[in-house]
Amino acid sequence: MRSAMNTIIEDVILYNNNSFLVPLFLIALLLLWMMEKDRKLRVALVYLVTGVAVIFLCPLYAWIGMRIDEDVYYRVLWSLPMGILVCYSAVKLMTRWKTLLSKGLVFILTILLIMMNGKFVYANTLHFKSVNLYHIPQQVIDVADALKLDNYRPIAVLPAELLPFFRQYTADIYTPYGRNILEPAWTFQNELYDAMEGNNAFYDVQEVARCARDEHCAFVVLSCAKQMQGSMEEQGYFLFRFVQGYYIYMDYTYYQVYKEQGLLDADVIEAGEKNEDLYSQMEN
């Protein structure tokens, strides 16, 4: 119980993040306890919010919640409508004053408190101007569009940097692992991922190809930022397309199967036909 209480205190401090958001929220909640008379609003903004806050701070509930997943217990705080309470209590306080000057002072003071409590988001080094409607890197969209087939959902292995955004854009392409493998806390392991990301400087293409076939991947996407030890063509792949700094290779065995079944788009067939002679020579 003591460790659960210590974690609660740490979560609140981290959530407050060197601001006065939590104290401002508590002041707003106290004001609504005293000023709000409407029964429905009192239930929604006072009783319910107070109940959630008490539950979050309850050591027994915290102990049970942390046994399930300690790393996400703080998200209970997300259910507290802090911004709504602060703004509504400020409006409620303004209605208590009669003169326009008093109302204006309360309004200006509230705006200043909110501004002082926040940070200018565009100054964040992680902020960058969106280049598309999806608000994700354009190379993710271009790679996904290149991999899509009209009549089939293929399996493709991707470099790690594409994984956090890929599923936001499309569900038409299967992957042997997703962004969850990037989280150390989840302790996911995959031999193909180790082959793809085990070395920051180069790909061992023989190992990548072997693991990709074990995972039934028709496509392998490799970053041009890494060197290749060996040739994907020697492993029975052909270069289907080069998109935004990424090589998209297709397993020639899957190409032949999909072609016979009429599952491939015209551009994939065209790329495969250009490499049929080379592949035949390698087999012989």
Side-chain angles (χ1 to χ4, degrees):
M1 292 292 184
R2 181 176 297 178
S3 62
M5 202 64 209
N6 290 336
T7 303
I8 291 173
I9 295 172
E10 291 176 3
D11 286 345
V12 172
I13 293 174
L14 291 172
Y15 192 84
N16 195 55
N17 191 27
N18 297 324
S19 67
F20 41 90
L21 174 63
V22 173
L24 199 59
F25 160 72
L26 294 175
I27 293 171
L29 183 60
L30 179 62
L31 287 174
L32 292 181
W33 268 102
M34 296 185 297
M35 295 188 303
E36 185 55 61
K37 304 302 180 184
D38 186 289
R39 184 176 179 180
K40 293 181 180 179
L41 289 175
R42 195 171 179 84
V43 170
L45 298 180
V46 179
Y47 300 150
L48 183 60
V49 172
T50 302
V52 172
V54 170
I55 290 173
F56 174 79
L57 296 172
C58 174
L60 178 60
Y61 177 81
W63 180 78
I64 296 173
M66 291 175 190
R67 288 293 295 270
I68 298 173
D69 196 336
E70 183 176 351
D71 292 334
V72 300
Y73 181 74
Y74 74 95
R75 294 182 183 179
V76 177
L77 290 170
W78 293 358
S79 60
L80 296 175
M82 295 188 180
I84 294 175
L85 252 68
V86 170
C87 294
Y88 180 74
S89 62
V91 173
K92 197 73 178 177
L93 189 61
M94 288 172 61
T95 62
R96 306 274 293 187
W97 300 94
K98 302 298 182 182
T99 65
L100 183 61
L101 178 61
S102 300
K103 294 177 185 292
L105 288 175
V106 173
F107 174 76
I108 293 173
L109 181 61
T110 302
I111 296 298
L112 289 175
L113 284 172
I114 293 174
M115 291 176 62
M116 292 170 60
N117 192 55
K119 295 180 180 179
F120 187 58
V121 295
Y122 299 110
N124 193 316
T125 56
L126 297 178
H127 177 271
F128 59 92
K129 187 176 180 180
S130 176
V131 294
N132 52 64
L133 295 177
Y134 297 93
H135 297 272
I136 61 177
Q138 185 61 40
Q139 58 263 37
V140 175
I141 296 175
D142 293 340
V143 169
D145 287 343
L147 291 170
K148 283 183 181 179
L149 299 178
D150 291 338
N151 301 314
Y152 189 71
R153 293 184 177 181
I155 303 176
V157 59
L158 308 168
E161 64 269 19
L162 301 182
L163 294 175
F165 312 99
F166 197 77
R167 196 57 69 218
Q168 297 179 44
Y169 176 65
T170 181
D172 291 331
I173 301 152
Y174 296 117
T175 56
Y177 48 80
R179 61 169 293 274
N180 49 8
I181 204 168
L182 303 178
E183 300 292 338
W186 292 345
T187 64
F188 285 107
Q189 292 184 339
N190 184 282
E191 190 177 13
L192 176 54
Y193 177 81
D194 294 338
M196 289 283 290
E197 307 299 334
N199 192 298
N200 295 326
F202 62 85
Y203 294 107
D204 182 345
V205 296
Q206 183 175 0
E207 183 68 8
V208 170
R210 181 188 68 81
C211 294
R213 287 196 172 98
D214 289 344
E215 295 282 356
H216 311 291
C217 296
F219 292 96
V220 174
V221 181
L222 302 179
S223 172
C224 69
K226 291 185 182 182
Q227 300 296 320
M228 296 188 194
Q229 281 192 340
S231 167
M232 289 294 287
E233 286 78 6
E234 294 175 356
Q235 305 303 319
Y237 287 79
F238 66 88
L239 180 62
F240 163 53
R241 190 172 293 178
F242 180 76
V243 179
Q244 292 273 24
Y246 292 93
Y247 297 102
I248 301 178
Y249 289 94
M250 186 173 188
D251 189 328
Y252 205 87
T253 302
Y254 281 101
Y255 166 80
Q256 290 177 322
V257 173
Y258 292 170
K259 183 180 179 181
E260 290 177 0
Q261 295 177 353
L263 301 176
L264 295 178
D265 297 348
D267 59 338
V268 185
I269 295 175
E270 181 182 355
E273 288 177 345
K274 292 179 180 179
N275 294 271
E276 282 183 351
D277 294 337
L278 176 62
Y279 189 74
S280 299
Q281 292 174 7
M282 292 176 58
E283 282 188 322
N284 296 331

